[in-house]
Amino acid sequence: MNGPTNQLTPTASAAPAVSAVPTTTLWRPTGPEELALVAASDWRAWPPRLPDQPIFYPVLNEDYAIRIARDWNVPASGVGHVTRFEVETAFLSRYPVRGAGGRTILELWVPAEELEEFNRHIVGRIEVVHEFRPQR
């Protein structure tokens, strides 16, 4: 993809209807440390970024999240998880969709200083939908 675009597709929330606000499904590949912090938030928020992490990047494609969790998180951490969550679509319009090397390899780049506000626009809970471990 050449440059950022705004192509977010609203979806029905997987969580029980709390509001009639349209949401977009996002995925996030994550390792065990970050997942433990998400669990500590009652599965409702992403933890603050570390100093060397200026951007929080959820992805727009489950397959891309699976590839990152399986191919990067497992070798780095011994386990990789894919999470799924819903965010208010109107709020997400401020973040351009960015291509990261292919037609279906799409991310949102949320500046670390905006993550707390981003978390306030999550609808429902963050859920783990896949887990990967080293193959024996």
Side-chain angles (χ1 to χ4, degrees):
M1 175 177 283
N2 295 332
T5 63
N6 273 326
Q7 298 178 359
L8 297 175
T9 306
T11 59
S13 175
V18 178
S19 71
V21 176
T23 63
T24 297
T25 302
L26 298 175
W27 288 267
R28 171 104 175 132
T30 184
E33 294 85 10
E34 183 176 54
L35 191 65
L37 294 171
V38 171
S41 78
D42 194 27
W43 302 96
R44 295 187 182 275
W46 293 99
R49 302 293 82 198
L50 298 173
D52 64 334
Q53 298 172 325
I55 296 172
F56 172 74
Y57 61 94
V59 302
L60 279 71
N61 178 289
E62 184 176 17
D63 181 59
Y64 178 37
I66 288 170
R67 285 185 276 161
I68 294 170
R70 183 189 61 218
D71 300 344
W72 297 353
N73 293 114
V74 171
S77 305
V79 63
H81 303 278
V82 174
T83 61
R84 177 177 60 208
F85 59 103
E86 301 289 326
V87 180
E88 295 171 6
T89 300
F91 173 77
L92 290 178
S93 67
R94 68 177 62 193
Y95 303 109
V97 174
R98 299 187 182 262
R103 200 166 58 104
T104 63
I105 301 176
L106 304 173
E107 306 172 336
L108 296 181
W109 289 5
V110 178
E113 61 272 12
E114 296 179 23
L115 186 55
E116 189 173 323
E117 182 178 3
F118 178 92
N119 283 333
R120 287 194 295 271
H121 293 274
I122 293 174
V123 176
R125 286 196 161 95
I126 299 163
E127 60 182 326
V128 176
V129 294
H130 300 286
E131 179 179 284
F132 298 95
R133 296 191 177 270
Q135 294 186 353
R136 297 176 188 188

